[in-house]
Amino acid sequence: GESFYNPFLNGVVEHLEEAGMAEESQGATAVFLEGYENRDGTPLPMLVRKSDGGFNYATTDLAAIKHRSSMAVEDGGEGAKRVLYVTDAGQSQHFEMVFKAAELAGLKPEDVSLEHVPFGLVQGEDGKKFATRSGDTVKLRDLLDEAVRIAGEDMQSRLEDGQELSDEAKRVAEIVGIGAVKYADLSMNRESNYRFSYERMLSLNGNTAPYMLYAYAR
């Protein structure tokens, strides 16, 4: 985890200071990279040490880059030649700045490739980041269970009153529900945000798994 790199954080800041890249900014220590600005045109700082002495994500990421790529293997380094960072697309600028700083400071060898692999966010129907009502991350198991439940209810509504779903029908509901979520996610561009909607995913019309399963079964 992140705490693994704690012993290296002070050394990273000292390295940046010795390289003439880190400077004091409003009590904190920051790196200002050419080409990065705030909306008002002022230089955008990449903080590496807070005014209270704490460290930022950028510091940890730089320490990780050094450990993975330039630290000697006999000293515990990993000797990596290609490092992929899989995070949401909103972190793109952060990693651009971290990678550039690592290169300018000599924290990574020239033959090492650092690559950000972004993905889009799953949003609620209100367009905000998908979460529970309490703001917690939604568990995949809960998403799939709910999709299966809705698919089962839809199938139940098509039966005569008092008739129960057979075991085979329950299995079909599971296939349709899980397939709907999987297809809706995989059919999107990896880097695009999309709004999670059970109604849309489980629709028998349009580009959905239930429609394709229905068409195949026919």
Side-chain angles (χ1 to χ4, degrees):
E2 291 181 21
S3 61
F4 173 83
Y5 300 103
N6 288 349
F8 307 107
L9 301 182
N10 270 316
V12 166
V13 176
E14 291 173 2
H15 181 96
L16 293 170
E17 290 174 333
E18 291 171 2
M21 292 179 60
E23 58 186 81
E24 184 178 345
S25 176
Q26 299 180 359
T29 304
V31 173
F32 292 91
L33 297 167
E34 185 177 352
Y36 293 92
E37 299 179 342
N38 292 303
R39 291 182 179 179
D40 61 3
T42 57
L44 177 65
M46 184 181 77
L47 297 180
V48 291
R49 184 161 54 202
K50 303 175 186 177
S51 57
D52 63 4
F55 299 97
N56 295 71
Y57 286 124
T59 326
T60 303
D61 287 333
L62 289 169
I65 289 171
K66 179 178 180 180
H67 186 271
R68 291 166 179 160
S69 65
S70 63
M71 183 181 291
V73 174
E74 54 266 27
D75 293 332
E78 299 173 44
K81 292 299 181 183
R82 186 186 186 200
V83 186
L84 304 180
Y85 294 76
V86 183
T87 74
D88 69 84
Q91 307 263 355
S92 293
Q93 186 182 68
H94 166 79
F95 284 110
E96 283 180 13
M97 296 179 73
V98 167
F99 295 166
K100 186 171 184 179
E103 183 177 355
L104 293 174
L107 292 173
K108 82 165 191 75
E110 291 185 3
D111 63 342
V112 172
S113 175
L114 304 175
E115 304 169 36
H116 181 216
V117 183
F119 58 82
L121 291 175
V122 180
Q123 302 170 326
E125 295 198 57
D126 58 0
K128 297 179 180 179
K129 189 173 181 179
F130 195 45
T132 64
R133 290 181 179 179
S134 62
D136 296 327
T137 300
V138 181
K139 296 180 180 179
L140 177 59
R141 177 184 293 276
D142 294 336
L143 289 182
L144 298 178
D145 287 346
E146 180 66 5
V148 171
R149 184 190 68 79
I150 294 173
E153 285 187 351
D154 180 67
M155 294 174 65
Q156 182 73 53
S157 69
R158 302 170 190 273
L159 300 178
E160 296 180 4
D161 291 342
Q163 191 174 356
E164 296 291 330
L165 289 179
S166 65
D167 290 341
E168 181 182 5
K170 291 178 181 178
R171 175 58 180 155
V172 170
E174 182 177 0
I175 292 170
V176 171
I178 294 176
V181 175
K182 289 172 67 175
Y183 182 76
D185 189 63
L186 295 173
S187 65
M188 299 297 296
N189 182 294
R190 172 173 56 82
E191 298 184 33
S192 299
N193 296 340
Y194 75 89
R195 297 191 180 189
F196 190 96
S197 167
Y198 286 114
E199 182 179 359
R200 192 179 307 119
M201 291 176 179
L202 290 163
S203 173
L204 283 171
N205 298 305
N207 184 21
T208 67
Y211 173 77
M212 290 193 295
L213 289 168
Y214 169 72
Y216 179 77
R218 286 189 65 187

